[in-house]
Amino acid sequence: YSPSGGNVGIAFAVPATVAMDVIEQLRSKGSVSRGWLGVKIQDLTDDIAQSLGLKDTKGAMISEATPGGPAEASGLKTRDTIVAVNGRPVANSRELARLVASLSPKTTAAVRIVRDGQERTVDVKLGEFPKGDRLAKLERGDDRPVAPPRESLGLSLAPAKTRPGAGEEGVVILKVDPASDAAQKQLRPGDVILEVMGESVSTAADVEKGVEKARKLGRKAVLLRVKSGQQQRYLGLQIDKG
């Protein structure tokens, strides 16, 4: 890339194997098709790994499964951590996307996951990666008396359904202690907590139960599923002692 025509030291590269595969598909079919797992994925942070009881941050965690998609149909769930596909280790979400895209639609992939601390293999019949307009439809999309700040998380919470625009599910964040780990993880007022440690929440008390569950399991962090606007993600928050 150069804005002036001279060499500014910025270049782009495509692996030869990828280019050869694309060329062959264009030559034989006139279009390129990719395998599709039907999930949204994210990398593991140290806190998320701790909250799940994992030894390290290798793998890619499912943050959302497309309704009716290949992953959901095969029994994969949110919070599952994918660590290998067809025996090939997965280091992060980018590598998982590349591995799945290299497979042909309608083939069966052996997906190795960690769920509740146990490894298992799930056979998934891959779909075909959706075209742009269909993918947009799939990705367009809801979230339950004011509570005092939860000392362990630095959050003031209320049932989402009591706040206009917050939705019907979950617990909406009203205030965030600027000195808390929640603030460091960029949680903001208006974000909605949908799950804590894998359990749906509708009150601040439910959130505190999830924190206590994490403590009893000896976890240093608690796993949350949070909705910000139309986007959902998992994050791990450090638990204060107490």
Coordinates of all heavy atoms in Angstrom, one line a residue, residues 117-193:
G117 N -15.1 -27.9 32.3 CA -13.8 -28.5 32.7 C -13.5 -29.8 32.1 O -12.5 -30.4 32.3
Q118 N -14.5 -30.4 31.2 CA -14.3 -31.7 30.6 C -14.1 -31.5 29.1 O -14.9 -30.8 28.5 CB -15.5 -32.6 30.9 CG -15.7 -32.8 32.4 CD -14.6 -33.6 33.0 OE1 -14.1 -34.5 32.5 NE2 -14.2 -33.2 34.3
E119 N -13.2 -32.2 28.5 CA -13.0 -32.2 27.1 C -13.9 -33.3 26.4 O -14.1 -34.3 27.0 CB -11.5 -32.5 26.7 CG -10.6 -31.3 26.9 CD -9.3 -31.5 26.1 OE1 -9.2 -32.3 25.2 OE2 -8.3 -30.7 26.5
R120 N -14.4 -32.9 25.3 CA -15.2 -33.9 24.5 C -15.1 -33.5 23.0 O -14.8 -32.3 22.7 CB -16.7 -33.9 25.0 CG -17.4 -32.5 24.7 CD -18.8 -32.5 25.3 NE -18.8 -32.5 26.8 CZ -19.8 -32.6 27.5 NH1 -21.0 -32.7 27.0 NH2 -19.8 -32.5 28.8
T121 N -15.5 -34.4 22.2 CA -15.4 -34.1 20.7 C -16.9 -34.2 20.2 O -17.6 -35.1 20.5 CB -14.6 -35.2 20.0 OG1 -13.2 -35.0 20.4 CG2 -14.6 -34.9 18.5
V122 N -17.2 -33.1 19.4 CA -18.6 -33.1 18.8 C -18.4 -33.0 17.3 O -17.6 -32.2 16.8 CB -19.3 -31.8 19.3 CG1 -20.7 -31.7 18.6 CG2 -19.4 -31.8 20.8
D123 N -19.1 -33.9 16.6 CA -19.1 -33.9 15.1 C -20.1 -32.9 14.6 O -21.3 -33.0 15.0 CB -19.4 -35.3 14.6 CG -18.3 -36.3 14.9 OD1 -17.1 -35.9 15.0 OD2 -18.6 -37.5 15.0
V124 N -19.6 -32.0 13.8 CA -20.5 -30.9 13.3 C -20.4 -31.0 11.7 O -19.4 -30.9 11.1 CB -20.0 -29.5 13.7 CG1 -20.9 -28.5 13.2 CG2 -19.9 -29.5 15.2
K125 N -21.6 -31.1 11.2 CA -21.8 -31.0 9.7 C -21.8 -29.5 9.3 O -22.7 -28.8 9.6 CB -23.0 -31.7 9.2 CG -23.1 -31.7 7.7 CD -24.3 -32.5 7.2 CE -24.4 -32.6 5.7 NZ -25.6 -33.3 5.2
L126 N -20.7 -29.1 8.7 CA -20.6 -27.6 8.4 C -21.6 -27.2 7.3 O -22.0 -27.9 6.4 CB -19.2 -27.4 7.9 CG -18.0 -27.7 8.8 CD1 -16.7 -27.4 8.2 CD2 -18.2 -26.9 10.1
G127 N -22.0 -25.9 7.4 CA -22.8 -25.3 6.4 C -21.9 -24.5 5.5 O -20.7 -24.6 5.6
E128 N -22.6 -23.8 4.6 CA -21.8 -22.9 3.7 C -21.9 -21.5 4.2 O -22.9 -21.0 4.6 CB -22.4 -23.0 2.3 CG -21.6 -22.1 1.3 CD -22.1 -22.3 -0.2 OE1 -23.0 -23.0 -0.4 OE2 -21.5 -21.6 -1.1
F129 N -20.7 -20.8 4.2 CA -20.6 -19.5 4.8 C -21.6 -18.6 4.0 O -21.6 -18.5 2.8 CB -19.2 -18.9 4.6 CG -19.0 -17.7 5.4 CD1 -18.6 -17.8 6.8 CD2 -19.2 -16.4 4.9 CE1 -18.5 -16.6 7.5 CE2 -19.0 -15.3 5.7 CZ -18.6 -15.4 7.0
P130 N -22.5 -17.9 4.7 CA -23.6 -17.1 4.1 C -23.0 -16.0 3.2 O -22.0 -15.4 3.5 CB -24.4 -16.6 5.3 CG -24.0 -17.5 6.4 CD -22.6 -17.9 6.2
K131 N -23.8 -15.6 2.2 CA -23.5 -14.4 1.4 C -23.8 -13.2 2.3 O -24.4 -13.3 3.3 CB -24.3 -14.4 0.1 CG -24.1 -15.7 -0.7 CD -22.6 -15.8 -1.2 CE -22.5 -16.9 -2.2 NZ -21.6 -18.0 -1.8
G132 N -23.3 -12.1 1.8 CA -23.4 -10.8 2.6 C -24.8 -10.5 3.1 O -25.0 -10.2 4.3
D133 N -25.8 -10.5 2.2 CA -27.2 -10.1 2.6 C -27.8 -11.1 3.6 O -28.4 -10.7 4.6 CB -28.1 -10.0 1.4 CG -28.2 -11.2 0.6 OD1 -27.3 -12.1 0.8 OD2 -29.1 -11.3 -0.3
R134 N -27.5 -12.4 3.4 CA -28.0 -13.4 4.4 C -27.3 -13.3 5.7 O -27.9 -13.4 6.8 CB -27.9 -14.8 3.8 CG -28.4 -15.9 4.7 CD -28.3 -17.2 4.1 NE -28.5 -18.2 5.2 CZ -27.8 -19.3 5.3 NH1 -26.8 -19.5 4.6 NH2 -28.1 -20.2 6.3
L135 N -26.0 -13.0 5.7 CA -25.3 -12.9 6.9 C -25.7 -11.7 7.7 O -25.9 -11.8 9.0 CB -23.8 -12.8 6.6 CG -22.8 -12.7 7.8 CD1 -22.9 -14.0 8.6 CD2 -21.4 -12.5 7.3
A136 N -26.1 -10.6 7.1 CA -26.5 -9.4 7.8 C -27.9 -9.8 8.5 O -28.1 -9.3 9.6 CB -26.7 -8.3 6.8
K137 N -28.7 -10.5 7.8 CA -30.0 -10.9 8.5 C -29.8 -11.8 9.7 O -30.5 -11.6 10.7 CB -30.9 -11.6 7.4 CG -31.4 -10.7 6.3 CD -32.3 -11.5 5.4 CE -32.8 -10.6 4.2 NZ -33.6 -11.4 3.2
L138 N -28.8 -12.7 9.6 CA -28.5 -13.6 10.7 C -28.0 -12.8 11.9 O -28.2 -13.2 13.0 CB -27.5 -14.6 10.3 CG -28.0 -15.7 9.3 CD1 -26.9 -16.5 8.8 CD2 -29.1 -16.6 10.0
E139 N -27.2 -11.7 11.6 CA -26.5 -11.1 12.7 C -27.4 -9.9 13.4 O -27.0 -9.4 14.4 CB -25.2 -10.5 12.2 CG -24.2 -11.6 11.9 CD -22.8 -11.0 11.6 OE1 -22.7 -9.8 11.3 OE2 -21.9 -11.8 11.6
R140 N -28.5 -9.6 12.8 CA -29.3 -8.6 13.4 C -30.2 -9.2 14.5 O -30.8 -10.2 14.2 CB -30.2 -7.9 12.3 CG -29.5 -6.8 11.5 CD -30.5 -5.9 10.8 NE -31.1 -6.6 9.7 CZ -30.6 -6.5 8.4 NH1 -29.5 -5.8 8.2 NH2 -31.2 -7.2 7.5
G141 N -30.2 -8.7 15.5 CA -31.0 -9.4 16.5 C -32.5 -9.4 16.2 O -32.9 -9.1 15.2
D142 N -31.8 -8.6 24.1 CA -33.1 -8.3 24.7 C -32.8 -8.7 26.1 O -32.5 -9.8 26.3 CB -34.0 -9.2 24.1 CG -34.2 -9.6 22.8 OD1 -33.7 -9.5 21.8 OD2 -35.1 -10.2 22.8
D143 N -33.1 -7.9 26.7 CA -32.3 -8.0 27.8 C -33.1 -7.9 29.1 O -34.1 -7.4 29.2 CB -31.2 -7.0 27.7 CG -30.3 -7.0 26.6 OD1 -29.8 -8.1 26.3 OD2 -30.1 -6.0 26.0
R144 N -33.7 -7.8 33.3 CA -35.0 -7.9 34.0 C -34.9 -6.9 35.2 O -35.1 -7.1 35.9 CB -35.1 -9.3 34.4 CG -35.9 -10.1 33.4 CD -36.1 -11.4 33.8 NE -36.8 -12.0 32.8 CZ -37.7 -12.8 32.9 NH1 -38.1 -13.2 34.0 NH2 -38.3 -13.2 31.9
P145 N -36.1 -3.5 42.1 CA -35.9 -2.1 42.6 C -34.4 -1.8 42.6 O -33.6 -2.7 42.7 CB -36.5 -2.2 44.0 CG -36.8 -3.7 44.2 CD -36.8 -4.4 43.0
V146 N -33.9 -0.9 42.3 CA -32.5 -0.6 42.2 C -31.8 -1.2 43.3 O -32.2 -1.1 44.5 CB -32.3 1.0 42.2 CG1 -30.9 1.3 42.2 CG2 -33.1 1.6 41.0
A147 N -30.6 -1.8 43.1 CA -29.8 -2.4 44.1 C -28.6 -1.6 44.4 O -28.1 -0.8 43.6 CB -29.4 -3.8 43.6
P148 N -28.1 -1.7 45.6 CA -26.9 -0.9 45.9 C -25.7 -1.6 45.2 O -25.9 -2.7 44.6 CB -26.7 -1.2 47.4 CG -27.5 -2.5 47.7 CD -28.6 -2.4 46.7
P149 N -24.6 -0.9 45.1 CA -23.5 -1.5 44.4 C -23.1 -2.9 44.9 O -23.1 -3.1 46.1 CB -22.3 -0.5 44.6 CG -23.0 0.8 45.0 CD -24.3 0.4 45.7
R150 N -22.8 -3.8 44.0 CA -22.3 -5.1 44.5 C -20.9 -4.9 44.8 O -20.0 -4.6 44.0 CB -22.5 -6.2 43.4 CG -23.9 -6.2 42.7 CD -25.0 -6.0 43.6 NE -25.2 -7.1 44.6 CZ -26.0 -7.0 45.6 NH1 -26.8 -6.0 45.8 NH2 -26.1 -8.1 46.4
E151 N -20.5 -5.1 46.1 CA -19.2 -4.8 46.5 C -18.1 -5.6 45.8 O -17.0 -5.2 45.6 CB -19.1 -5.1 48.1 CG -20.0 -4.2 48.9 CD -19.7 -2.7 48.8 OE1 -18.5 -2.4 48.5 OE2 -20.6 -1.9 48.9
S152 N -18.5 -6.8 45.4 CA -17.5 -7.7 44.8 C -17.2 -7.3 43.3 O -16.2 -7.7 42.8 CB -18.0 -9.1 44.8 OG -19.3 -9.2 44.3
L153 N -18.1 -6.5 42.7 CA -17.9 -6.2 41.3 C -17.8 -4.7 41.0 O -17.5 -4.3 39.9 CB -19.1 -6.8 40.5 CG -19.2 -8.3 40.5 CD1 -20.4 -8.7 39.6 CD2 -17.9 -9.0 40.0
G154 N -18.3 -3.9 42.0 CA -18.2 -2.5 41.7 C -19.3 -2.0 40.8 O -19.1 -1.0 40.1
L155 N -20.5 -2.6 40.9 CA -21.6 -2.3 40.0 C -22.9 -2.0 40.8 O -23.2 -2.6 41.8 CB -21.9 -3.4 39.0 CG -20.8 -3.9 38.1 CD1 -21.2 -5.2 37.4 CD2 -20.4 -2.8 37.1
S156 N -23.6 -1.0 40.3 CA -25.0 -0.8 40.8 C -25.9 -1.3 39.7 O -25.8 -1.0 38.5 CB -25.3 0.7 41.0 OG -24.5 1.2 42.0
L157 N -26.9 -2.1 40.1 CA -27.7 -2.9 39.2 C -29.2 -2.7 39.4 O -29.6 -2.4 40.5 CB -27.3 -4.4 39.3 CG -25.8 -4.7 39.2 CD1 -25.6 -6.2 39.6 CD2 -25.3 -4.5 37.7
A158 N -30.0 -3.0 38.4 CA -31.4 -3.1 38.5 C -32.0 -4.0 37.4 O -31.3 -4.3 36.4 CB -32.0 -1.7 38.2
P159 N -33.1 -4.7 37.7 CA -33.7 -5.5 36.7 C -33.9 -4.7 35.4 O -34.4 -3.6 35.4 CB -35.0 -5.9 37.3 CG -34.8 -5.8 38.8 CD -33.9 -4.6 38.9
A160 N -33.5 -5.3 34.3 CA -33.6 -4.6 33.0 C -35.0 -4.2 32.6 O -35.2 -3.1 32.1 CB -33.0 -5.5 31.9
K161 N -36.0 -5.0 33.0 CA -37.3 -4.7 32.6 C -37.9 -3.5 33.3 O -39.0 -3.0 32.9 CB -38.2 -5.9 32.8 CG -38.4 -6.4 34.3 CD -39.3 -7.6 34.4 CE -39.5 -8.0 35.8 NZ -40.3 -9.3 35.9
T162 N -37.2 -3.0 34.4 CA -37.7 -1.8 35.1 C -37.1 -0.6 34.5 O -37.5 0.5 34.9 CB -37.3 -1.9 36.6 OG1 -35.9 -1.8 36.7 CG2 -37.8 -3.2 37.2
R163 N -36.3 -0.7 33.5 CA -35.7 0.5 32.8 C -36.0 0.6 31.4 O -35.7 -0.4 30.6 CB -34.1 0.4 33.0 CG -33.7 0.4 34.4 CD -33.9 1.7 35.1 NE -33.9 1.6 36.6 CZ -33.7 2.7 37.4 NH1 -33.5 3.9 36.9 NH2 -33.8 2.5 38.7
P164 N -36.7 1.7 30.9 CA -37.0 1.8 29.5 C -35.9 1.6 28.6 O -34.8 2.1 28.8 CB -37.6 3.2 29.4 CG -38.0 3.5 30.8 CD -37.0 2.8 31.7
G165 N -36.1 0.7 27.6 CA -35.0 0.5 26.6 C -34.0 -0.5 26.9 O -33.2 -0.9 26.1
A166 N -34.1 -1.0 28.1 CA -33.1 -2.0 28.6 C -33.4 -3.4 28.2 O -32.6 -4.4 28.2 CB -32.8 -2.0 30.1
G167 N -34.7 -3.7 27.8 CA -35.1 -5.0 27.4 C -35.8 -5.7 28.5 O -36.1 -5.1 29.6
E168 N -36.2 -7.0 28.3 CA -37.0 -7.7 29.3 C -36.1 -8.8 30.0 O -36.6 -9.4 30.9 CB -38.1 -8.5 28.5 CG -39.2 -7.5 28.0 CD -39.9 -6.8 29.1 OE1 -40.2 -7.4 30.1 OE2 -40.1 -5.6 28.9
E169 N -34.9 -9.0 29.6 CA -34.1 -10.0 30.2 C -32.8 -9.4 30.8 O -32.3 -8.4 30.3 CB -33.6 -11.1 29.1 CG -34.8 -11.8 28.5 CD -34.3 -12.7 27.4 OE1 -33.1 -13.0 27.4 OE2 -35.2 -13.1 26.6
G170 N -32.4 -10.0 31.9 CA -31.1 -9.6 32.5 C -31.2 -8.5 33.5 O -32.3 -8.1 33.9
V171 N -30.0 -8.0 33.8 CA -29.8 -7.0 34.8 C -29.1 -5.8 34.2 O -28.0 -6.0 33.7 CB -29.1 -7.5 36.1 CG1 -28.9 -6.4 37.1 CG2 -29.8 -8.7 36.7
V172 N -29.6 -4.6 34.3 CA -29.0 -3.5 33.6 C -28.0 -2.8 34.6 O -28.2 -2.7 35.8 CB -30.0 -2.5 33.1 CG1 -30.8 -1.8 34.2 CG2 -29.3 -1.4 32.2
I173 N -26.9 -2.4 34.1 CA -25.9 -1.6 34.9 C -26.2 -0.2 35.0 O -26.4 0.5 34.0 CB -24.5 -1.8 34.3 CG1 -24.1 -3.3 34.3 CG2 -23.4 -1.0 35.1 CD1 -22.7 -3.6 33.6
L174 N -26.4 0.3 36.2 CA -26.7 1.7 36.4 C -25.5 2.6 36.7 O -25.4 3.7 36.2 CB -27.7 1.9 37.6 CG -29.0 1.1 37.5 CD1 -29.8 1.3 38.8 CD2 -29.8 1.5 36.3
K175 N -24.5 2.1 37.5 CA -23.3 2.8 37.8 C -22.1 1.8 37.8 O -22.3 0.6 38.1 CB -23.4 3.5 39.1 CG -24.4 4.6 39.2 CD -24.4 5.3 40.5 CE -25.5 6.4 40.6 NZ -25.5 7.0 42.0
V176 N -21.0 2.3 37.5 CA -19.7 1.5 37.5 C -18.7 2.2 38.4 O -18.4 3.4 38.1 CB -19.2 1.2 36.1 CG1 -17.9 0.4 36.2 CG2 -20.2 0.6 35.2
D177 N -18.2 1.6 39.4 CA -17.1 2.2 40.2 C -15.9 2.4 39.3 O -15.4 1.4 38.7 CB -16.8 1.2 41.3 CG -15.7 1.7 42.3 OD1 -15.0 2.7 41.9 OD2 -15.5 1.2 43.3
P178 N -15.4 3.6 39.1 CA -14.3 3.8 38.2 C -13.0 3.2 38.6 O -12.1 3.0 37.8 CB -14.1 5.4 38.2 CG -14.8 5.8 39.5 CD -15.9 4.8 39.7
A179 N -12.9 2.7 39.9 CA -11.7 2.0 40.4 C -11.8 0.5 40.3 O -10.9 -0.2 40.7 CB -11.4 2.4 41.8
S180 N -12.9 0.0 39.7 CA -13.2 -1.4 39.7 C -12.6 -2.1 38.5 O -12.3 -1.4 37.5 CB -14.7 -1.7 39.8 OG -15.3 -1.2 38.6
D181 N -12.5 -3.4 38.5 CA -12.1 -4.2 37.4 C -13.1 -4.0 36.3 O -12.8 -4.1 35.1 CB -11.9 -5.6 37.8 CG -11.3 -6.5 36.7 OD1 -10.3 -6.0 36.0 OD2 -11.7 -7.6 36.4
A182 N -14.4 -3.9 36.6 CA -15.5 -3.7 35.6 C -15.2 -2.5 34.8 O -15.4 -2.5 33.5 CB -16.8 -3.6 36.3
A183 N -14.8 -1.4 35.4 CA -14.5 -0.2 34.6 C -13.3 -0.5 33.7 O -13.3 0.0 32.5 CB -14.2 1.0 35.5
Q184 N -12.3 -1.2 34.2 CA -11.1 -1.5 33.4 C -11.5 -2.4 32.2 O -10.9 -2.3 31.1 CB -10.1 -2.3 34.2 CG -9.4 -1.4 35.3 CD -8.6 -0.3 34.7 OE1 -7.8 -0.5 33.8 NE2 -8.7 0.9 35.3
K185 N -12.6 -3.2 32.3 CA -13.0 -4.1 31.2 C -14.0 -3.4 30.4 O -14.7 -4.0 29.5 CB -13.6 -5.4 31.8 CG -12.6 -6.2 32.7 CD -11.5 -6.8 31.9 CE -10.4 -7.4 32.7 NZ -10.9 -8.4 33.7
Q186 N -14.2 -2.1 30.6 CA -15.1 -1.2 29.8 C -16.6 -1.5 29.9 O -17.3 -1.3 28.9 CB -14.6 -1.2 28.3 CG -13.2 -0.7 28.1 CD -12.7 -0.6 26.7 OE1 -13.3 -1.3 25.8 NE2 -11.7 0.2 26.4
L187 N -17.0 -2.0 31.0 CA -18.4 -2.1 31.3 C -18.9 -0.7 31.5 O -18.3 0.1 32.1 CB -18.7 -3.0 32.5 CG -18.6 -4.5 32.2 CD1 -18.9 -5.2 33.5 CD2 -19.6 -4.9 31.2
R188 N -20.1 -0.4 31.0 CA -20.7 0.9 31.0 C -22.1 0.9 31.5 O -22.8 -0.1 31.3 CB -20.6 1.6 29.6 CG -19.2 1.8 29.1 CD -18.5 2.9 29.7 NE -17.2 3.1 29.2 CZ -16.0 2.5 29.6 NH1 -16.1 1.7 30.6 NH2 -14.9 2.8 29.0
P189 N -22.6 2.0 32.1 CA -24.1 2.1 32.4 C -24.9 1.9 31.1 O -24.5 2.4 30.1 CB -24.2 3.5 32.9 CG -22.9 3.9 33.5 CD -21.9 3.2 32.6
G190 N -25.9 1.1 31.3 CA -26.7 0.7 30.1 C -26.4 -0.7 29.6 O -27.3 -1.3 28.9
D191 N -25.2 -1.2 29.8 CA -24.9 -2.6 29.5 C -25.8 -3.5 30.3 O -26.2 -3.2 31.4 CB -23.5 -2.9 29.7 CG -22.5 -2.2 28.8 OD1 -23.0 -1.7 27.8 OD2 -21.3 -2.2 29.0
V192 N -26.2 -4.6 29.7 CA -27.1 -5.6 30.4 C -26.3 -6.9 30.6 O -25.8 -7.5 29.7 CB -28.3 -5.8 29.5 CG1 -29.2 -6.9 30.2 CG2 -29.1 -4.5 29.4
I193 N -26.3 -7.3 31.9 CA -25.8 -8.6 32.2 C -26.8 -9.7 32.0 O -27.9 -9.6 32.7 CB -25.2 -8.6 33.7 CG1 -24.2 -7.6 33.9 CG2 -24.7 -10.0 34.0 CD1 -23.7 -7.4 35.3

